[in-house]
Amino acid sequence: MGDISAPIIYELDYSSEGIKDFDSKVQENVGMDAKYLLHYPTVYIVNDKNKEKQFSVYIGETSDIKKRTIQHLTVDPKSRSDWKNLSISESSKMYVIGHNHFNKSLTLDIENKLMLYMSSIENVDAVYNRRTNQQNDYFTSHELDNIFSKVWRGLQKKNKELFPVEQIIRDSAIFKASPFHKLTEEQIRTKDFITLRIMQALTKGETRQLILVTGEAGSGKTVLMSSLFYELNQLSKDDPENLIFKDTKNFLLVNHEQQLKVYQQIATKLGIYSKKQPDLVSKPTPFINNHGPEDKVDVVIVDEAHLLWTQGKQSYRGKNQLQDLLERAKVVVAVFDQNQVLSTQQYWEYEELMSLQHEAQLNGNLMYLSNQMRINSDIATVNWIRSLIDEQEVGKIPSDSKKYDIQIFDSPEELHGAIKAKAQSQDSGISRMTATFDWDYVDKRKPEGEDYWYVRVGDWKLPWNLQLPVASKKQSIKNKHLSWAEQEQTVDEVGSTFTVQGFDLNYAGVIIGPSVKYRDGKIIFDRQESKNKKATQKRSLKDGSKEYFSDTLLKNELNVLLTRGVNGLYLYAVDEELQQALKDARKG
């Protein structure tokens, strides 16, 4: 941490008396505290705890903490219910944070990072702030992480309930999909371009505008869409500059149950999602059923658009969900990765896919994110994983200066033991077992004669995802809002692509099942061994013919599983030849 000093953190009652007492006590201190709290830029956190022990929080920054607090107490409650509730509560508190290195840019970045952290905390149910404040490079920007960690540890000493350990927060699915992450230059350029294109479409009255964002797994697409959705909704409430976005209707859709839970939690905490507008964040089918082409919404953002259906299914009566969305929105922003299409119901015929991309490219609306942001490794390690998937070759595992951990285990028992040890370590965070879909599993129905559907290898077995009971009713209620990987009992389950797609695991344990084989120096795919009927059944094409696309879809399944691990990838292959090839590939 170098010579950077600790922050000054002052806790007070959030009231007129509290701010007067704060002023007098700080004034009495003729040392540095008065200077840095009263005359320097500061960051502040107003918070209140309800009867259910859930916190509502407002995070802000100011160059005049006394004036700003008085405004919050006297003026803001007249126009905003959140400030009214905080001002009339007898239990609300306030933390004022000062530091000798604070300047306007640094406090804005600290404010933004506090929003990132606090919107990811389980017992914080509402975060009030109407803006994102990411700053570019500035004089003390290199000190941000060090100073923030000192601020967080200082806050934790004052209130462990409201400010838990950093690692716990950073491992949450909400944190990883939060709109408050500091975007990379590539993400900023893409977001600015998308916002400009939306402005142009809304101004000119254009409709059926498709903006296509592509990029491989882990390239930061989800964070980009989360940030865009939050910003559009903030602008829809208050856009004083040009009024283009004011009162616009903006929606976020994802065809993935676990990812939907995360987005709904984020939107609820940030005041976007409500019972009055339940489909602001939803799956595509209910949105399509609830909105007609005659009453177009302004913007629809589709994360994981490769999961959209390209044929009718169950409650969806249409033929192509993306085309239906284009009919119902002025602008559709779709995140698409053809290497993550997992079922025949999502499969795009080549001509259709090329036409889709060509249309977006022709309008200048095709963007590609190239940075690999998930896997914390050298490029050689990323290339090894990509070669295994894309070229279907098993090369020598390279040494990694960042210590990305690739291990090949002799048995699934050893693999599970290693993942369980990582999961129980606070430093390692969320680590889980996954497998190719090569063992029977039927959702919401038990198998005959057994309690669970199992992944079996020899005498070893472990239940498939979302089957194990929880310890208590309280935990069961909590689990409704948590993704599969965040639930405690799931460390003793095996996840599938349908559970973990779109999520990060710190260490990913992957059982490569018998549908993936190694023959004559190449990885091949055997649909006869797969239990994923969505990938192995024939697909009816537009010309009336039917074809198998299992090689592509099973390859995509492997792609999703092998790109989950942030810090490590642990492997075991059921096929003996593939297992031997992986063992031979280990570093010498």
Side-chain angles (χ1 to χ4, degrees):
M1 292 296 179
D3 298 324
I4 296 175
S5 60
I8 305 155
I9 302 175
Y10 195 103
E11 183 180 6
L12 58 140
D13 290 334
Y14 179 64
S15 63
S16 297
E17 293 75 20
I19 194 66
K20 287 178 184 176
D21 186 55
F22 161 77
D23 186 27
S24 61
K25 286 186 176 179
V26 172
Q27 293 281 15
E28 288 172 11
N29 181 358
V30 294
M32 287 296 153
D33 285 15
K35 178 180 178 180
Y36 298 133
L37 290 175
L38 297 178
H39 304 297
Y40 264 51
T42 56
V43 181
Y44 59 96
I45 302 168
V46 182
N47 65 93
D48 192 26
K49 184 166 66 171
N50 62 23
K51 293 178 181 178
E52 287 75 37
K53 297 185 178 180
Q54 293 290 109
F55 287 90
S56 54
V57 172
Y58 181 92
I59 302 156
E61 60 79 39
T62 181
S63 56
D64 190 334
I65 189 63
K66 289 188 296 180
K67 182 179 177 181
R68 188 74 172 129
T69 305
I70 292 168
Q71 178 187 338
H72 285 326
L73 285 164
T74 59
V75 179
D76 293 341
K78 295 175 183 178
S79 59
R80 285 180 54 176
S81 59
D82 48 3
W83 281 118
K84 183 178 180 180
N85 293 335
L86 288 168
S87 66
I88 63 177
S89 172
E90 295 181 358
S91 58
S92 54
K93 300 286 185 182
M94 182 174 181
Y95 296 96
V96 181
I97 305 160
H99 196 279
N100 62 342
H101 286 202
F102 273 1
N103 54 50
K104 183 69 172 179
S105 292
L106 185 54
T107 55
L108 285 169
D109 263 352
I110 294 285
E111 175 194 34
N112 204 60
K113 200 162 182 178
L114 282 170
M115 290 165 68
L116 166 64
Y117 271 52
M118 303 208 74
S119 61
S120 308
I121 296 170
E122 184 184 332
N123 59 354
V124 172
D125 63 4
V127 177
Y128 306 127
N129 193 309
R130 295 194 173 184
R131 55 185 181 174
T132 54
N133 285 314
Q134 175 175 321
Q135 300 296 292
N136 295 320
D137 205 14
Y138 50 91
F139 179 58
T140 54
S141 60
H142 63 286
E143 297 177 348
L144 171 63
D145 290 340
N146 284 357
I147 291 177
F148 181 82
S149 286
K150 287 177 180 287
V151 166
W152 192 261
R153 289 202 299 272
L155 290 167
Q156 193 187 14
K157 287 178 183 177
K158 292 185 176 293
N159 190 335
K160 287 183 171 59
E161 186 181 11
L162 182 56
F163 306 103
V165 175
E166 276 190 79
Q167 190 63 45
I168 293 172
I169 297 169
R170 296 177 70 87
D171 282 337
S172 72
I174 290 181
F175 178 88
K176 291 170 180 176
S178 172
F180 300 118
H181 280 284
K182 192 160 187 172
L183 302 182
T184 64
E185 288 186 11
E186 181 180 55
Q187 287 173 315
I188 291 170
R189 285 197 306 271
T190 305
K191 180 181 170 183
D192 288 348
F193 178 82
I194 293 171
T195 304
L196 178 61
R197 290 296 293 119
I198 293 171
M199 285 177 65
Q200 290 173 344
L202 296 181
T203 302
K204 295 177 180 178
E206 297 172 342
T207 60
R208 286 187 60 90
Q209 294 299 301
L210 174 63
I211 300 173
L212 204 59
V213 182
T214 64
E216 293 177 357
S219 57
K221 301 185 295 293
T222 290
V223 166
L224 174 60
M225 292 304 106
S226 180
S227 176
L228 177 66
F229 178 62
Y230 177 73
E231 187 164 303
L232 289 177
N233 275 281
Q234 298 310 101
L235 289 171
S236 72
K237 297 174 186 176
D238 181 20
D239 181 15
E241 292 187 7
N242 51 35
L243 301 180
I244 291 173
F245 291 104
K246 189 168 177 59
D247 298 325
T248 52
K249 296 177 181 178
N250 309 293
F251 296 77
L252 176 61
L253 309 179
V254 62
N255 212 13
H256 189 287
E257 191 67 39
Q258 302 298 312
Q259 192 76 345
L260 179 63
K261 281 184 182 181
V262 173
Y263 278 132
Q264 287 178 337
Q265 282 186 80
I266 291 172
T268 300
K269 289 189 179 199
L270 300 178
I272 299 171
Y273 181 75
S274 68
K275 292 180 180 178
K276 292 181 180 178
Q277 290 185 294
D279 65 347
L280 278 179
V281 181
S282 70
K283 287 188 173 182
T285 296
F287 174 87
I288 291 167
N289 292 342
N290 292 336
H291 296 268
E294 69 284 350
D295 185 25
K296 289 180 171 58
V297 304
D298 294 290
V299 181
V300 168
I301 297 170
V302 190
D303 195 9
E304 310 279 355
H306 38 270
L307 300 182
L308 291 173
W309 296 333
T310 55
Q311 62 182 30
K313 179 178 184 280
Q314 297 171 343
S315 59
Y316 174 60
R317 303 298 182 184
K319 295 181 179 180
N320 185 298
Q321 287 187 324
L322 182 55
Q323 296 300 334
D324 284 346
L325 293 175
L326 284 167
E327 289 179 5
R328 287 160 173 78
K330 296 172 185 175
V331 182
V332 173
V333 183
V335 169
F336 192 90
D337 179 2
Q338 66 188 78
N339 294 324
Q340 292 194 62
V341 172
L342 296 176
S343 79
T344 55
Q345 294 147 342
Q346 300 157 354
Y347 190 82
W348 286 78
E349 293 185 39
Y350 180 78
E351 291 77 11
E352 287 183 304
L353 185 59
M354 290 300 102
S355 175
L356 180 77
Q357 293 181 344
H358 179 69
E359 180 185 349
Q361 191 170 24
L362 196 64
N363 295 324
N365 290 346
L366 179 62
M367 278 151 288
Y368 179 74
L369 294 180
S370 59
N371 292 338
Q372 169 54 245
M373 299 175 65
R374 176 181 291 136
I375 298 174
N376 182 24
S377 72
D378 294 340
I379 188 63
T381 298
V382 174
N383 289 341
W384 182 85
I385 296 171
R386 292 260 45 103
S387 178
L388 193 150
I389 299 163
D390 301 333
E391 309 301 326
Q392 295 166 233
E393 296 176 351
V394 183
K396 289 290 182 184
I397 299 172
S399 297
D400 194 287
S401 65
K402 295 181 181 178
K403 307 301 181 186
Y404 188 87
D405 191 15
I406 296 178
Q407 292 191 40
I408 315 301
F409 287 82
D410 293 328
S411 70
E413 294 99 321
E414 292 178 23
L415 173 56
H416 182 220
I419 286 296
K420 203 164 181 177
K422 289 294 184 183
Q424 290 168 349
S425 167
Q426 194 176 90
D427 294 333
S428 302
I430 293 177
S431 302
R432 289 294 185 271
M433 293 277 286
T434 63
T436 52
F437 207 109
D438 294 346
W439 294 267
D440 287 319
Y441 175 74
V442 180
D443 190 26
K444 297 176 183 176
R445 179 165 72 81
K446 283 192 174 184
E448 290 184 17
E450 291 192 297
D451 292 330
Y452 308 115
W453 300 98
Y454 286 104
V455 172
R456 299 176 187 271
V457 180
D459 295 331
W460 177 88
K461 64 180 182 180
L462 214 60
W464 269 121
N465 37 231
L466 297 168
Q467 294 186 90
L468 289 178
V470 294
S472 65
K473 184 178 180 181
K474 182 179 179 182
Q475 187 65 33
S476 180
I477 294 170
K478 175 183 173 183
N479 280 2
K480 287 182 180 179
H481 303 292
L482 295 178
S483 65
W484 172 80
E486 294 177 287
Q487 299 178 31
E488 292 179 10
Q489 79 282 359
T490 63
V491 72
D492 289 315
E493 292 182 334
V494 180
S496 70
T497 49
F498 302 105
T499 309
V500 301
Q501 188 171 27
F503 287 91
D504 292 353
L505 297 171
N506 279 357
Y507 290 83
V510 183
I511 296 176
I512 303 175
S515 69
V516 186
K517 293 178 165 58
Y518 190 74
R519 299 291 184 268
D520 301 319
K522 280 281 194 179
I523 289 174
I524 62 171
F525 300 96
D526 183 356
R527 65 172 175 268
Q528 303 296 330
E529 296 281 8
S530 174
K531 302 299 182 182
N532 184 4
K533 292 180 181 178
K534 293 179 179 180
T536 58
Q537 62 192 2
K538 286 186 176 181
R539 161 82 188 229
S540 297
L541 302 180
K542 282 189 172 183
D543 64 5
S545 64
K546 293 185 177 182
E547 286 187 28
Y548 287 112
F549 296 98
S550 52
D551 277 3
T552 297
L553 298 176
L554 294 179
K555 179 179 176 179
N556 289 354
E557 182 178 2
L558 189 64
N559 175 50
V560 169
L561 296 180
L562 297 188
T563 55
R564 295 306 99 195
V566 174
N567 295 315
L569 176 62
Y570 293 176
L571 298 172
Y572 171 81
V574 173
D575 179 69
E576 290 183 6
E577 290 188 41
L578 178 55
Q579 174 70 359
Q580 189 58 53
L582 290 169
K583 289 170 72 172
D584 291 343
R586 283 186 292 202
K587 299 185 290 284

